Amino acid sequence: MKPQVVFVLGGPGAGKGTQCSKIVEGFNYTHLSAGDLLRGERARDGSEFGQLIDSYIKDGKIVPVKITINLLSKAMEETMQKDEKKFRFLIDGFPRNEDNLQGWKDAMDGKADVKFVLFFDCSNEVCIDRCLERGKSSGRTDDNRESLEKRIQTYLLSTRPIIEQYEKLGKVRTVDASRSVDEVFADVKAILEKEG
Ligand code: ADP
Ligand code: C5P
Ligand code: MG
């Protein structure tokens, strides 16, 4: 069975991870966060990319796709090898720019189906407030005002155009992410029940 993929996009702090965790509880999806995979690689003993990833994350820049696609495809393969029925994936925080998208196409065209993009839409102010709040306990090196300004710029300049491309293909399902976790999830649930 070919992997069936939902890309999950939205600004930093829009609630992608929170909603993906809720989806996994009720639907047969595996959640792969590109950011989490990169942070894992950064922390891995002997990683040749640790320093590069660290500086990109602090600067809110998008890591070269060669690194990210390797992590994603490895995680997908491992999941499907363990259980062949686990071929549905939420890929959270990817593709975030043109390089990400091209890298996905080069590696995955014909090998995985992108069903749609789940887009968590909310204002930059809400995104920043949520990340600063998360920063009180997340230990993340990028949940601070300085990094957040750069992350928002990257989101506006690089990620929004990717969402617009999928929009033109009729492949974006937009959710108003500024509401409470449960209100957002009610919409997410309806979308997934409809799309399968
Ligand atoms: P993302 O993965 O998009 O960066 P997270 O899911 O990590 O976002 O959420 C960012 C922060 O905002 C977390 O501290 C989370 O608990 C909180 N959060 C997530 N969704 C909501 C929401 N709908 N309302 C208020 N806070 C939220
Ligand atoms: O999605 P998340 O907020 O966890 O991403 C944190 C950071 O990880 C991003 O700001 C970026 O520096 C890096 N990242 C990346 N490429 C991705 C996803 C995340 O470089 N596709
Ligand atoms: Mg996240």
Side-chain angles (χ1 to χ4, degrees), residues 41-43 47-55:
E41 176 63 19
R42 176 180 64 181
S47 168
E48 54 182 311
F49 304 120
Q51 280 198 337
L52 181 147
I53 294 171
D54 193 49
S55 75

Short mmCIF file of all heavy atoms in Angstrom, two decimals, residues 41-43 47-55:
data_model
loop_
_atom_site.label_atom_id
_atom_site.label_comp_id
_atom_site.label_asym_id
_atom_site.label_seq_id
_atom_site.Cartn_x
_atom_site.Cartn_y
_atom_site.Cartn_z
N GLU A 41 17.38 14.51 15.41
CA GLU A 41 18.66 14.34 14.68
C GLU A 41 19.73 15.24 15.30
O GLU A 41 20.88 14.84 15.45
CB GLU A 41 18.46 14.66 13.19
CG GLU A 41 19.72 14.61 12.34
CD GLU A 41 20.38 13.23 12.27
OE1 GLU A 41 19.71 12.22 12.56
OE2 GLU A 41 21.57 13.18 11.93
N ARG A 42 19.32 16.45 15.68
CA ARG A 42 20.26 17.38 16.33
C ARG A 42 20.84 16.76 17.60
O ARG A 42 22.01 16.93 17.93
CB ARG A 42 19.53 18.68 16.66
CG ARG A 42 20.35 19.71 17.41
CD ARG A 42 19.56 20.97 17.70
NE ARG A 42 18.44 20.75 18.59
CZ ARG A 42 17.59 21.69 18.99
NH1 ARG A 42 17.72 22.93 18.54
NH2 ARG A 42 16.59 21.40 19.79
N ALA A 43 20.01 16.01 18.31
CA ALA A 43 20.42 15.45 19.61
C ALA A 43 21.12 14.10 19.47
O ALA A 43 21.66 13.59 20.45
CB ALA A 43 19.18 15.28 20.49
N SER A 47 25.73 12.65 15.03
CA SER A 47 25.09 13.26 13.86
C SER A 47 26.02 14.30 13.23
O SER A 47 26.58 15.14 13.92
CB SER A 47 23.78 13.96 14.25
OG SER A 47 23.34 14.75 13.17
N GLU A 48 26.17 14.21 11.91
CA GLU A 48 27.02 15.21 11.25
C GLU A 48 26.26 16.52 11.02
O GLU A 48 26.83 17.51 10.58
CB GLU A 48 27.55 14.66 9.92
CG GLU A 48 26.46 14.16 9.00
CD GLU A 48 26.99 13.56 7.70
OE1 GLU A 48 27.84 14.21 7.05
OE2 GLU A 48 26.53 12.47 7.33
N PHE A 49 24.94 16.50 11.29
CA PHE A 49 24.12 17.68 10.98
C PHE A 49 23.70 18.47 12.21
O PHE A 49 23.00 19.47 12.08
CB PHE A 49 22.86 17.25 10.21
CG PHE A 49 23.16 16.49 8.95
CD1 PHE A 49 22.67 15.19 8.79
CD2 PHE A 49 23.92 17.05 7.94
CE1 PHE A 49 22.95 14.48 7.62
CE2 PHE A 49 24.19 16.35 6.78
CZ PHE A 49 23.71 15.06 6.61
N GLY A 50 24.13 17.99 13.39
CA GLY A 50 23.65 18.60 14.64
C GLY A 50 23.82 20.11 14.69
O GLY A 50 22.87 20.84 14.98
N GLN A 51 25.02 20.57 14.35
CA GLN A 51 25.29 22.01 14.46
C GLN A 51 24.51 22.81 13.44
O GLN A 51 23.99 23.88 13.73
CB GLN A 51 26.78 22.27 14.29
CG GLN A 51 27.55 21.99 15.58
CD GLN A 51 28.91 22.64 15.57
OE1 GLN A 51 29.47 22.94 14.51
NE2 GLN A 51 29.46 22.87 16.76
N LEU A 52 24.45 22.26 12.23
CA LEU A 52 23.71 22.96 11.18
C LEU A 52 22.24 23.11 11.58
O LEU A 52 21.66 24.19 11.52
CB LEU A 52 23.84 22.18 9.86
CG LEU A 52 23.15 22.77 8.63
CD1 LEU A 52 23.93 22.46 7.38
CD2 LEU A 52 21.71 22.26 8.49
N ILE A 53 21.65 22.00 12.02
CA ILE A 53 20.24 22.03 12.41
C ILE A 53 20.04 23.04 13.53
O ILE A 53 19.10 23.85 13.51
CB ILE A 53 19.75 20.62 12.82
CG1 ILE A 53 19.75 19.67 11.62
CG2 ILE A 53 18.35 20.69 13.44
CD1 ILE A 53 19.50 18.21 11.97
N ASP A 54 20.93 23.01 14.50
CA ASP A 54 20.81 23.91 15.65
C ASP A 54 20.78 25.37 15.20
O ASP A 54 19.93 26.15 15.64
CB ASP A 54 21.99 23.67 16.60
CG ASP A 54 21.77 24.34 17.93
OD1 ASP A 54 20.68 24.16 18.49
OD2 ASP A 54 22.66 25.07 18.40
N SER A 55 21.68 25.73 14.29
CA SER A 55 21.73 27.14 13.90
C SER A 55 20.54 27.51 13.02
O SER A 55 19.99 28.61 13.13
CB SER A 55 23.07 27.49 13.25
OG SER A 55 23.12 27.00 11.95
#
